[in-house]
Amino acid sequence: MSMVPRYVLAFILSTALVVAACRYIVNPASLDDDISYSPGAPTFTLKRDALDSGRVPFASHAENRPFGSYLQQTLDFAPFADLFGAVNATTGTLQSRGEAHITVITPPEFDRVLKPAGVTIQEIEAIALRANIQHARLSPVCLGRFSGSLPHPKTDTDSGQFLLFSLVVADDYGDLLAIRKKVFGLFREKGGEGALFQPEGFWPHATIGYDRRDLFIEDGIYKGTNYCYARIKLD
């Protein structure tokens, strides 16, 4: 019996690994198995190219005011307007921002951590533009929902019930995470304390609508797969 050349075995193994990885990326069921949806929640429809932002201009947010500077991947709002309408039809109480984006560096991360270390928003945007942020590859995971009271209201205005919906997305190829890692590298070069900024502390999502205001990690709200409420079907 003749031996199979090593390069043939290596090719077969590498091909199998690529196929397995592709199945995981393109098949939502590979992730869906680990998600707990709300019983009886409807399935919502999203345009297949809703997260394809390659033709959408980059939007700079570099305002000289508290929480006025941050980094985002800007999305076309039209498909999200349709999703907002479908979600709001189930509640009738939601507000929309009238735009859609994925926040990559949050205002608190910039104001409280990066800026004090000497990192400028212009440097962050330069990193993002070199990495073609508008071409970052994303896929929808689910519709996330928070319905309840905040665990630790900071003021009386934060008491009571809140309702919030977001599209949870997957940074399949790590395009956005790579940007955060490069920002972290710059932060460390400027003497920033590493424990203050975690590149992987990142849950990409697009806000769909809310009744009172948007909610954030600072409010105790995490928007990963733990946040999933309903399935998303691509049209």
Side-chain angles (χ1 to χ4, degrees):
M1 180 177 178
S2 61
M3 297 291 292
V4 178
R6 289 184 179 180
Y7 72 87
V8 175
L9 291 174
F11 174 77
I12 293 172
L13 179 59
S14 62
T15 301
L17 290 173
V18 169
V19 169
C22 288
R23 283 178 179 171
Y24 182 85
I25 290 170
V26 303
N27 181 12
S30 60
L31 183 61
D32 202 57
D33 293 342
D34 298 325
I35 295 176
S36 177
Y37 296 99
S38 295
T43 296
F44 292 91
T45 300
L46 181 69
K47 296 283 187 184
R48 188 170 297 276
D49 61 352
L51 294 170
D52 182 0
S53 63
R55 297 182 181 178
V56 181
F58 173 76
S60 173
H61 293 276
E63 299 180 25
N64 189 23
R65 60 177 179 83
F67 302 129
S69 294
Y70 52 96
L71 178 66
Q72 71 175 43
Q73 178 183 359
T74 307
L75 305 173
D76 179 14
F77 179 59
F80 291 91
D82 294 340
L83 180 57
F84 170 80
V87 174
N88 195 36
T90 68
T91 70
T93 62
L94 300 179
Q95 308 172 52
S96 168
R97 284 203 184 110
E99 56 86 27
H101 69 268
I102 307 292
T103 302
V104 182
I105 300 292
T106 69
E109 284 179 323
F110 180 73
D111 277 19
R112 297 172 180 171
V113 179
L114 300 172
K115 184 178 179 180
V119 178
T120 69
I121 192 63
Q122 289 77 21
E123 289 173 317
I124 292 172
E125 290 182 346
I127 288 172
L129 290 171
R130 285 195 297 271
N132 292 316
I133 186 172
Q134 287 301 117
H135 292 270
R137 296 159 291 180
L138 307 172
S139 63
V141 175
C142 69
L143 181 74
R145 182 187 75 169
F146 174 73
S147 179
S149 57
L150 300 182
H152 303 289
K154 298 182 178 67
T155 66
D156 290 342
T157 58
D158 281 344
S159 61
Q161 299 292 299
F162 287 82
L163 182 62
L164 167 69
F165 292 90
S166 311
L167 179 73
V168 177
V169 306
D171 182 19
D172 285 323
Y173 296 88
D175 296 335
L176 298 182
L177 178 58
I179 292 172
R180 287 180 58 87
K181 286 182 175 179
K182 288 178 181 177
V183 171
F184 176 73
L186 178 62
F187 171 68
R188 293 291 282 149
E189 285 176 13
K190 290 177 178 274
E193 172 54 56
L196 298 180
F197 184 81
Q198 173 68 10
E200 293 82 5
F202 172 56
W203 297 270
H205 63 275
T207 299
I208 301 302
Y210 44 83
D211 61 350
R212 294 171 61 182
R213 67 173 177 87
D214 202 354
L215 301 171
F216 309 98
I217 292 174
E218 292 76 16
D219 297 303
I221 307 303
Y222 291 83
K223 300 172 183 174
T225 55
N226 60 298
Y227 179 49
C228 286
Y229 159 70
R231 288 178 172 82
I232 289 290
K233 178 180 70 173
L234 295 179
D235 182 10

